[in-house]
Amino acid sequence: MRDILPALERWYASGVPFGLATVVAVSRSAPREPGAAMAVGPDDEVVGSVSGGCVEGAVFELAQEVVASGEARLATFGYSDEDAFAVGLTCGGEITLLVRPVTPAADPVFGALAASVAAREPVTLAMVVDGPAPRGATLAVWADRVAGTLGTPGLDAAVTADARGELALGATVQRHYGPRGERREDEVTVFLQSYAPPPRMLVFGAIDYAAAVARIGDFLGYRVTVCDARPVFATPKRFPAGVEVVVDWPHRYLAGTVTDERTVICVVTHDPKFDVPLLEEALRRPAAYIGAMGSRRTHDDRLARLMEAGVTARELSRLRSPLGLDLGARTPEEVAVSVAAEIVALRWGGTGTPLTATSGAIHPPAAT
């Protein structure tokens, strides 16, 4: 939607209804990913695309119908051997679209959502796709507030919690609930579309532990980069396909890399000539997590060297060292699980305590 936002904001401000089609599910070799959008506005003006041209004609007519009726529709387009062009997707894939009318009255949260998207403020839009809830109903979820409703307080609460999780990862997914937000039921399908890039995980030191941390970071939805100054270790074949591998001095690479409050930095080099200048740089820039591997002795030596380099006590308080939770981990994979657990706990304010030893809500309300 970001690509077609200027037209949508103009139409919305004028109060004239327009039809907005969003790809909410794909299978096989579909031409566009979930979240792709096309809109039909006043005077039959069309912006955006949901299939690269295959089914836009049919979507155009469907958008006109939902504007006339005021009711959202769900449509699936796929491939048929008998009449491929009539169905539309000759590539052999399948796409499902939610087509809904948008006006200030029908979708009161769209204006705030559009403003956040334009300002690049992270926000997730939740839309009811199917089930015993108002199809096309929307709920906008930010890190510190919400707007709109999907029909019931229970459904709003469950979707808000999940939307904040997906927002932290910049993920776009479908989720299923009961009519009142029951998590073990699947009558209601909700599409969660996050307007935020995936957070970055920067792993320094191309050893076996780095490979394990990179794999679990990729699994959790981070955009992972592994950096090491030693080309014999920093080879792409040692890491998952989606992981970027960089050969450079760690502190120099970090100095030229943009980080933010969601960035995770994991240092597993075990070498003072790499660790100290790298951590000196890391502890003075925005990041959600800065962890360094090593023994207690290594940790004490590292702290002494950092203080000699002028790092303040306040800056050092941000360092998680030795990194990870106390799980008794031994193998690189087990250590990666302990690191991931600490990152997740820090993000959401978890204690790391077994749930059997706690009471009350498992997912307490997010702090504002």
Side-chain angles (χ1 to χ4, degrees):
M1 191 180 73
R2 184 176 280 116
D3 296 336
I4 62 176
L5 193 60
L8 303 188
E9 287 185 301
R10 184 175 72 251
W11 297 341
Y12 190 79
S14 72
V16 179
F18 62 91
L20 180 59
T22 304
V23 177
V24 295
V26 302
S27 66
R28 300 188 299 277
S29 56
R32 299 295 302 274
E33 294 297 316
M38 168 183 161
V40 179
D43 301 320
D44 294 336
E45 181 182 354
V46 178
V47 293
S49 171
V50 292
S51 73
C54 298
V55 301
E56 268 67 9
V59 176
F60 175 82
E61 295 179 359
L62 190 57
Q64 291 179 316
E65 292 174 10
V66 302
V67 168
S69 68
E71 296 182 356
R73 297 264 300 273
L74 194 65
T76 297
F77 297 89
Y79 177 81
S80 167
D81 290 333
E82 291 78 17
D83 196 0
F85 286 98
V87 178
L89 289 182
T90 56
C91 61
E94 183 176 279
I95 61 172
T96 299
L97 305 174
L98 177 65
V99 188
R100 59 192 179 94
V102 179
T103 64
D107 191 351
V109 308
F110 184 85
L113 171 81
S116 289
V117 173
R120 298 195 175 275
E121 178 188 17
V123 59
T124 293
L125 176 66
M127 298 186 293
V128 174
V129 172
D130 203 6
R135 177 175 287 161
T138 57
L139 177 72
V141 180
W142 293 265
D144 58 353
R145 65 192 189 279
V146 299
T149 180
L150 303 182
T152 67
L155 183 58
D156 288 347
V159 171
T160 296
D162 288 347
R164 286 196 169 121
E166 304 304 340
L167 181 60
L169 296 174
T172 292
V173 298
Q174 275 194 14
R175 292 282 183 243
H176 303 278
Y177 309 88
R180 291 176 293 278
E182 300 92 338
R183 293 185 178 277
R184 293 187 179 183
E185 301 180 20
D186 60 1
E187 295 101 318
V188 180
T189 301
V190 178
F191 182 67
L192 302 175
Q193 183 172 11
S194 296
Y195 294 94
R200 298 200 65 183
M201 174 182 279
L202 306 176
V203 183
F204 294 97
I207 61 176
D208 289 345
Y209 288 95
V213 170
R215 281 195 295 272
I216 204 164
D218 182 60
F219 174 75
L220 289 175
Y222 286 91
R223 181 163 68 93
V224 183
T225 298
V226 175
C227 175
D228 198 303
R230 301 163 295 183
V232 66
F233 296 116
T235 60
K237 66 181 180 181
R238 301 184 64 218
F239 298 93
V243 172
E244 178 188 27
V245 180
V246 174
V247 179
D248 199 353
W249 277 81
H251 72 282
R252 184 168 61 192
Y253 175 77
L254 183 58
T257 300
V258 175
T259 64
D260 60 25
E261 287 73 14
R262 300 184 302 154
T263 303
V264 166
I265 299 174
C266 298
V267 180
V268 297
T269 44
H270 291 292
D271 190 330
K273 71 174 178 290
F274 295 126
D275 291 0
V276 173
L278 170 61
L279 289 171
E280 187 178 356
E281 173 69 31
L283 293 169
R284 291 169 175 165
R285 58 168 52 232
Y289 176 91
I290 304 171
M293 182 177 288
S295 65
R296 304 288 183 189
R297 181 176 179 179
T298 298
H299 169 71
D300 291 339
D301 177 71
R302 184 188 289 134
L303 287 184
R305 291 173 183 268
L306 287 168
M307 287 187 287
E308 288 177 6
V311 179
T312 67
R314 182 176 181 180
E315 291 166 342
L316 285 174
S317 68
R318 301 178 62 203
L319 179 61
R320 300 273 169 165
S321 174
L323 80 179
L325 297 185
D326 180 13
L327 305 183
R330 295 291 188 272
T331 68
E333 290 74 20
E334 290 174 344
V335 169
V337 169
S338 78
V339 173
E342 184 177 36
I343 291 169
V344 172
L346 185 62
R347 178 196 296 161
W348 299 114
T351 64
T353 304
L355 289 173
T356 55
T358 65
S359 61
I362 293 176
H363 300 107
T368 59

